Amino acid sequence: MKDNGLFIVLSGCSGVGKGTVQKIVMQDMPELMFSVSATTRKPRAGEVDGKNYYFLEKEDFENRIKNDEFLEYVKLFDNYYGTLYSEIDKNIAEGNDVLLEIDTEGAMNVKKKRPNAILIFLLPPSVDDLVNRLLGRGTETEESIKLRKAKINDELKMAEKYDYVVVNDVVETCVDKVESIIKAERLKATRNINKLKLIRGEDIQC
Ligand code: 5GP
């Protein structure tokens, strides 16, 4: 019987580059499974339903909340975002490592329900740098930039509650550090109990 897979949560301030880092990590480590979130926001150009997100109508999302289908969900800028149990638990139990890319509030909610989750906080080199990045992205309205800016300071205060903090200054360096964390976590003795038993010829309880 395989040991459980890792539950890796990539989070951090809005606009810090979580999506970019996540995509490169997924390319470099194709064995990782990406947890596709559900959202009520409209797809952006190039986004594919079922790959980037499950794009749901508000009513559908709210029904799923009632049916307890979400490990966590948040309402951000008038849209819901949530992690479906169906994306997580079975995969981890089968020994697959699952990567989530979610906001800071969601990450804290995950940690409460799944204390074993590995929380990685991506930091900007500075608050000014992050504000400039938000302005440069070009997909945001003025109003949403204002709302996002207001969140940055609150989000930064949560960093100590995470297991790891990584500054996203040079993307390649940041990716390298995130991948190192994943590789080291895979080798933790406590995460390899069944492997150890197998090597020692002991019985494995299912
Ligand atoms: P965007 O609309 O730019 O794709 O995402 C906005 C924010 O929602 C990002 O910070 C992203 O990490 C976060 N997010 C995406 N999926 C989820 C989710 O399932 N749960 C939570 N809590 N946040 C999410």
Side-chain angles (χ1 to χ4, degrees):
M1 191 197 172
K2 280 173 104 177
D3 290 282
N4 278 356
L6 301 181
F7 189 172
I8 307 146
V9 180
L10 198 57
S11 188
C13 304
S14 315
V16 76
K18 299 189 287 281
T20 307
V21 171
Q22 168 254 312
K23 280 190 197 90
I24 305 173
V25 171
M26 294 296 302
Q27 277 165 17
D28 291 351
M29 305 176 106
E31 72 282 11
L32 287 178
M33 300 192 77
F34 179 59
S35 162
V36 179
S37 294
T39 184
T40 55
R41 89 149 159 73
K42 298 287 166 246
R44 295 189 186 120
E47 285 185 331
V48 178
D49 185 43
K51 184 168 176 260
N52 303 93
Y53 282 105
Y54 298 113
F55 294 102
L56 305 180
E57 294 302 322
K58 192 170 172 226
E59 197 187 337
D60 187 2
F61 199 106
E62 287 176 343
N63 280 333
R64 286 167 190 263
I65 294 173
K66 280 190 207 127
N67 293 338
D68 197 23
E69 291 183 36
F70 290 106
L71 171 64
E72 62 78 34
Y73 69 92
V74 290
K75 203 168 190 187
L76 295 171
F77 322 114
D78 276 341
N79 285 309
Y80 285 114
Y81 293 84
T83 307
L84 293 155
Y85 283 109
S86 54
E87 291 288 304
I88 307 291
D89 291 334
K90 188 166 171 283
N91 285 322
I92 289 176
E94 285 173 355
N96 299 309
D97 298 334
V98 177
L99 180 74
L100 268 81
E101 186 246 294
I102 60 175
D103 88 317
T104 47
E105 187 186 339
M108 290 293 102
N109 290 334
V110 166
K111 193 73 179 176
K112 275 184 216 142
K113 286 194 178 170
R114 297 284 185 274
N116 263 347
I118 301 151
L119 264 57
I120 305 174
F121 194 104
L122 295 192
L123 292 158
S126 70
V127 174
D128 280 352
D129 182 274
L130 182 51
V131 171
N132 290 337
R133 270 194 224 183
L134 283 171
L135 293 169
R137 187 149 73 175
T139 55
E140 310 294 322
T141 62
E142 257 185 53
E143 183 56 23
S144 78
I145 289 172
K146 221 166 83 186
L147 286 168
R148 281 173 189 257
K149 267 191 200 173
K151 278 190 78 183
I152 296 172
N153 282 320
D154 286 343
E155 289 177 320
L156 280 175
K157 285 182 199 143
M158 294 189 206
E160 281 94 335
K161 297 190 177 135
Y162 282 61
D163 299 299
Y164 297 94
V165 288
V166 181
V167 176
N168 186 16
D169 41 8
V170 178
V171 176
E172 293 74 21
T173 314
C174 176
V175 165
D176 201 39
K177 288 177 182 167
V178 170
E179 291 177 0
S180 300
I181 292 167
I182 297 171
K183 286 176 193 164
E185 284 284 344
R186 281 178 176 158
L187 299 177
K188 273 194 170 163
T190 49
R191 295 193 190 275
N192 285 281
I193 299 298
N194 286 338
K195 188 187 277 175
L196 288 171
K197 285 183 176 171
L198 198 68
I199 290 168
R200 292 195 291 240
E202 295 166 5
D203 275 349
I204 296 175
Q205 305 292 321
C206 289

